[in-house]
Amino acid sequence: MSQSSEKTTVRGFNTAFDSNLAKLEMIRGERNLRSLFEPQGIAVVGASPKPSFAKCILNNIVSCGFNGSIAAVNPNYGTVDGVNCYKCISDVPFQVDLAVLCVPAGNILAVLQECKLRSVGAVQIISSGFAELDTEEGRARQQQIERLAKHSPTTVVVGPNTFGVINLHRPMIAIGDSRIPKIVPGGVSCVFQSGQMFTIMHPLIGRGIGIGKIAMTGNEVTVTTADVISFFAADPQTEVIVSYSEGLKDPDNFAAACTRARERDKPIIMLRVGAHLEVRKGISRHTATQAANSYETDMQFLKGLGVIAVDSAEDLIETVVAFKASRKPRGNRVAFASFSGGMGNMMADLILSTRSLNLVSFSDQLCKRLAAALPTFANSFNPLDLSAQSAFNTEVLSRCMQILGDSGEFDILLWGKDLPMSIDDESPIGMALKAFEAEHPQIVLIPVSQMSGVYWGKEVDGVPPMFAGRPLLQGTGVSVRALDKVIEWHAST
């Protein structure tokens, strides 16, 4: 093979040369993104006692337990909700690492210039009224921000038209929403162009999965999805990277960011919207992302980079759960066992329709051994219906699990259950599954509930449904799709 043929080009990106340059640019930019996620001093510009995004952001920073310095900036007040308020950024008596701007679009440039003079590390522009308006005035304002940001070596600008930033490890919650769940820090970090996507915190924390950092990038005038992914790739607190994207603005940097993440075994799960022409007009008016017209090319691009693409918020969430509920298996051979023949049939249909999962056929020897241990009204093939009676017979259940584990005929065991409830470690089922894991560590065991959502039974009490400290997969179709993507990703690493 010639040297030139070894080089690959994706969307004009020469990975043999440009990737290294893009990586260097990202590494140089990490210092300023640290100001965004790990500030020691925060100023909320435009905060007032009146109900607003600014007031909500200020209150969240205070109430979440942020232990750095906090200031409000507004010439009309001396304090705002107990926080000292100053006329301008220049008057704030401490170093401002992060300035959150909640002022009218027409005033943004003047505040940005002041931030530049004050060497503010990062500026998050919450305000709308820029290129997303699709007007000459809006585009001109955004261009002014871009020019100023390019000539400011110390200040990084995020936005405009964003919702804020979160770092639960700090903790720091600087978003304009009052519905904040209990803080559970963890290894899932997110970059979203849409502000409402931050609510992924709620179902993930409700499933026992902690959040690390969330950035909302909006119009991405300077800081792009690629920049944030690169930061997460190098972040020791991030294990899984999640993204909502309306278009890839800088494919060179994006490819380099994905390479950094892949080198560190960090999966990237992305919901890239815009599959239909009718949606692309909405994207233009939402984040002014002109790259919306490159959807088909982007999807091929993502596939080539090993990014896990999903089609809905539900699939995004369940794919995260699938990574947290399992580990890398030795292969893709799947067995399914439950007390329900109906659920087994559903799951078998779904598994057989995937690209990466192989629903194995049990050998005659294994079927005979299972049949000898099971009641006559159970079946002994895959998917395995142990029958409801086996749930009350500890000896039968334990014997079947031992036979399955000793067979060596599969790599993944999906344990089917009815409702999204925790499996009590001390229950007969819990003890049988724990013994299976202890005796057969080479097999990945993943509980899956037939139903998804919140179970309003006596068990709830705000405790996430878990088994052995891991979340359960919930729902049949969405769980199998998620697991298919996770196993495919593991197979390629």
Side-chain angles (χ1 to χ4, degrees), residues 7-23 250-257 259 301 305:
K7 298 179 180 180
T8 57
T9 302
V10 186
R11 291 189 62 186
F13 176 68
N14 186 324
T15 58
F17 176 72
D18 293 343
S19 178
N20 292 330
L21 294 180
K23 285 182 183 179
D250 51 352
D252 291 3
N253 280 348
F254 185 82
T259 300
F301 187 49
L305 292 168

Side-chain angles (χ1 to χ4, degrees), residues 142-377:
Q142 186 154 315
Q143 287 168 359
Q144 288 174 328
I145 293 174
E146 186 174 6
R147 284 195 294 269
L148 186 146
K150 282 183 176 179
H151 292 89
S152 179
T154 59
T155 302
V156 63
V157 178
V158 184
N161 184 28
T162 74
F163 202 67
V165 62
I166 294 169
N167 180 356
L168 293 193
H169 289 285
R170 181 67 204 275
M172 176 195 67
I173 300 177
I175 59 171
D177 195 287
S178 59
R179 302 162 299 168
I180 305 301
K182 179 182 177 181
I183 293 175
V184 179
V188 179
S189 291
C190 314
V191 52
F192 301 134
Q193 279 194 271
S194 175
Q196 186 166 291
M197 284 297 297
F198 94 91
T199 54
I200 196 174
M201 290 173 63
H202 294 259
L204 287 180
I205 289 175
R207 303 280 289 275
I209 297 173
I211 299 294
K213 302 171 177 68
I214 300 179
M216 272 73 82
T217 55
N219 293 10
E220 297 193 349
V221 65
T222 54
V223 173
T224 65
T225 293
D227 296 322
V228 181
I229 288 177
S230 182
F231 181 86
F232 290 158
D235 175 29
Q237 295 174 328
T238 296
E239 300 168 354
V240 177
I241 300 169
V242 179
S243 176
Y244 167 90
S245 172
E246 298 192 345
L248 306 178
K249 290 192 171 183
D250 51 352
D252 291 3
N253 280 348
F254 185 82
C258 292
T259 300
R260 292 188 85 189
R262 196 58 175 262
E263 289 171 349
R264 292 161 176 80
D265 291 327
K266 297 185 181 184
I268 301 170
I269 309 165
M270 176 176 282
L271 173 55
R272 165 68 164 97
V273 295
H276 301 281
L277 288 171
E278 295 85 348
V279 179
R280 294 169 191 174
K281 182 178 180 181
I283 289 175
S284 180
R285 285 303 307 270
H286 182 221
T287 58
T289 305
Q290 300 304 314
N293 292 325
S294 63
Y295 177 85
E296 291 80 7
T297 307
D298 279 356
M299 295 307 289
Q300 289 298 317
F301 187 49
L302 297 178
K303 182 178 180 180
L305 292 168
V307 175
I308 301 169
V310 298
D311 299 321
S312 69
E314 295 86 353
D315 286 281
L316 195 70
I317 291 164
E318 210 62 34
T319 305
V320 174
V321 176
F323 270 108
K324 303 299 288 185
S326 64
R327 54 182 168 78
K328 184 175 183 176
R330 63 185 176 184
N332 69 343
R333 299 173 301 167
V334 178
F336 179 85
S338 73
F339 300 128
S340 168
M343 185 180 181
N345 293 334
M346 289 183 223
M347 292 293 285
D349 257 344
L350 291 163
I351 293 169
L352 289 166
S353 299
T354 65
R355 295 183 304 179
S356 303
L357 303 178
N358 174 21
L359 185 74
V360 296
S361 295
F362 289 164
S363 67
D364 290 342
Q365 181 182 8
L366 177 55
C367 289
K368 287 176 182 178
R369 293 188 68 198
L370 287 168
L374 285 164
T376 55
F377 39 80

Side-chain angles (χ1 to χ4, degrees), residues 52-90:
S52 63
F53 275 120
K55 176 183 173 69
C56 197
I57 290 170
L58 183 66
N59 290 338
N60 283 335
I61 295 169
V62 173
S63 63
C64 76
F66 177 72
N67 61 4
S69 302
I70 309 169
V73 176
N74 190 321
N76 299 317
Y77 304 97
T79 61
V80 175
D81 294 348
V83 176
N84 289 335
C85 187
Y86 303 91
K87 290 183 178 180
C88 60
I89 285 282
S90 299

Side-chain angles (χ1 to χ4, degrees), residues 44-48 52-54 57 73-75 87 89 100-112 114-115 123-130 141 145 160-161:
V44 180
V45 183
S48 80
S52 63
F53 275 120
I57 290 170
V73 176
N74 190 321
K87 290 183 178 180
I89 285 282
V100 183
L101 309 192
C102 307
V103 298
N107 298 340
I108 287 291
L109 191 62
V111 178
L112 275 178
E114 193 175 0
C115 289
V123 175
Q124 178 105 32
I125 304 177
I126 306 298
S127 313
S128 301
F130 298 88
R141 285 175 181 159
I145 293 174
N161 184 28

